[in-house]
Amino acid sequence: MRKIENCPVCSSEKVQHFISTSAQMHSDKQVFKFDQCTDCEFVFLNPKVSPEQLKNYYTKYYLPYRGAEAWGKYGKLVNNSLRKLDLRKLKFVNSVQKLNSSSLLLDVGCGQPSFLKLSKEKYNCQTLGIDFSNEGWSNQNHKYQNIELQIGEVRDLSEKLRPDIITMWHYLEHDYFPLENLSYLKSISKSSTKLIIEVPNFDSSSRKKFRKHWAGWHTPRHTSLFSPNNLEIMLNKSGWKVEQSFSYGTMDPYLIEWMSKMEEKGIEWDKNMENEIIPFIIGMLAFLPKRLLEKKLSLGIMTIVASPDA
């Protein structure tokens, strides 16, 4: 795709090369470039790979698609961990706006829609998940039969949707047109709609520690690397106002630490991960003191809560 000359967030012409990183969670170690705006410090893949080429980076090396099965006999343990993550997401949503049977919850980039399934079970709310692929729920219709799921882009959502809650759990960093899609979501929202965005935090200690091996790059799947300031600028430009900003999220920051270490190590991501479970747990225990202080530290994740700007 064509190289971007102006910052996608603030339109500044002061854009310069920041870092080159090789493809992550992939056998091909092609190098890609990230640029940074010197005015708002937004970092973005430049140029982006074409959508057709991008599909080549969602293969057997992509651990999220492999899920619990990648961990062999420890799959049940991993599934329990994923359920706990969904519970944390649901708890956070309810701290922002209470769900009930009349609520419409829209999850953008829903992947495997276990979060929506849990929301439906707990609160009997209306649910809609959208993703560019049905990879997360294909051949599992029986499991997600009570959830409305849609294959497509944000602009394919109905203009009459009017969701009460919109969640983006690690979606926006993948979005090729974040400003346009945030604007469209604002146009189909109610004045009371709440938008929850969780993304990697570029302005974090893990990024500074691991540099080109930082898992937050997720090269070339991540096209945007946000910090609190430039994400707020983009939200304001697209018609949203930030109500709350947190330097942590529902995702355990140790996962970014661990994936970064694995990239540094040069792990083969398509292998059976059973032998990695013990080192993973040992590392998680060693990371615990930082985890307990994550609300004061910036470990790699951030969350924004926004509402439509009148």
Side-chain angles (χ1 to χ4, degrees), residues 70-233:
W71 297 86
K73 62 185 179 183
Y74 299 106
K76 187 175 180 180
L77 180 66
V78 174
N79 270 328
N80 288 339
S81 178
L82 292 174
R83 180 172 174 80
K84 288 178 182 178
L85 173 60
D86 286 336
L87 286 167
R88 289 196 298 272
K89 290 177 180 178
L90 197 53
K91 181 180 179 180
F92 186 83
V93 167
N94 270 294
S95 73
V96 172
Q97 188 155 291
K98 298 293 184 182
L99 289 172
N100 55 53
S101 59
S102 63
S103 303
L104 173 55
L105 171 60
L106 167 63
D107 190 22
V108 180
C110 62
Q112 187 179 83
S114 58
F115 162 67
L116 289 176
K117 184 175 185 291
L118 182 65
S119 302
K120 183 77 172 179
E121 291 171 353
K122 294 284 187 180
Y123 296 100
N124 194 33
C125 57
Q126 302 171 62
T127 54
L128 171 59
I130 187 168
D131 210 315
F132 75 96
S133 164
N134 67 348
E135 188 73 28
W137 67 83
S138 62
N139 302 318
Q140 300 183 72
N141 291 337
H142 63 287
K143 188 175 181 181
Y144 301 114
Q145 59 185 350
N146 295 324
I147 301 169
E148 186 177 352
L149 298 168
Q150 181 176 339
I151 302 171
E153 305 294 337
V154 168
R155 60 182 175 272
D156 296 320
L157 292 166
S158 171
E159 295 179 1
K160 300 178 181 180
L161 195 61
R162 301 296 181 266
D164 295 286
I165 296 274
I166 304 171
T167 54
M168 292 181 169
W169 308 110
H170 294 270
Y171 161 81
L172 198 62
E173 63 270 33
H174 294 263
D175 196 330
Y176 270 40
F177 306 101
L179 181 63
E180 293 85 347
N181 286 333
L182 286 168
S183 297
Y184 184 73
L185 287 171
K186 193 267 181 182
S187 74
I188 65 172
S189 293
K190 301 187 287 191
S191 60
S192 58
T193 298
K194 300 297 182 184
L195 171 65
I196 299 172
I197 300 173
E198 183 176 301
V199 290
N201 186 358
F202 176 79
D203 186 22
S204 63
S205 57
S206 62
R207 193 269 303 170
K208 295 165 187 173
K209 176 181 178 180
F210 290 103
R211 300 171 65 85
K212 68 178 182 180
H213 298 294
W214 182 52
W217 300 117
H218 216 48
T219 318
R221 303 173 197 87
H222 288 180
T223 61
S224 301
L225 276 303
F226 296 98
S227 299
N229 178 59
N230 49 52
L231 182 51
E232 183 169 2
I233 292 172

Side-chain angles (χ1 to χ4, degrees), residues 3-15 37 42 44 46:
K3 194 173 189 296
I4 300 169
E5 300 298 334
N6 293 66
C7 173
V9 171
C10 70
S11 302
S12 171
E13 296 179 356
K14 298 178 182 177
V15 172
C37 172
F42 177 62
F44 54 101
N46 199 16

